[in-house]
Amino acid sequence: MPSVVDRIMKYAKGPQGRKVRARAERYARDPRTQAKARGLLAKLRGGGGRRKY
C-alpha cells in the first residue's frame, strides 16, 4: 500500500498536478495574493490589533 507521500508525488508528477502547480505559482507572483497572505500571517501572529474576549 503506497504511503500518502507517494500518492502526493505521483499526483504532482501527472498532468493534473502540473496544472495545479502552475496555477499556484501564478497566484504566488500576484501582489494582491501576497498582500492577503501577509495580512493573514500578521493576524495569526497576533499583529491584527486588539483582541476582544
Side-chain angles (χ1 to χ4, degrees):
M1 182 171 165
S3 71
V4 173
V5 174
D6 291 336
R7 291 171 58 193
I8 292 170
M9 292 302 294
K10 183 178 177 186
Y11 175 81
K13 290 179 182 178
Q16 198 173 8
R18 286 193 295 264
K19 258 188 222 178
V20 170
R21 180 178 175 199
R23 190 180 322 144
E25 288 174 352
R26 194 168 48 249
Y27 285 139
R29 285 191 298 266
D30 184 7
R32 289 176 293 179
T33 307
Q34 290 176 0
K36 285 181 189 177
R38 278 191 218 100
L40 180 62
L41 286 173
K43 186 182 267 189
L44 290 173
R45 289 181 181 150
R50 286 180 44 187
R51 294 184 183 178
K52 297 178 182 177
Y53 290 100

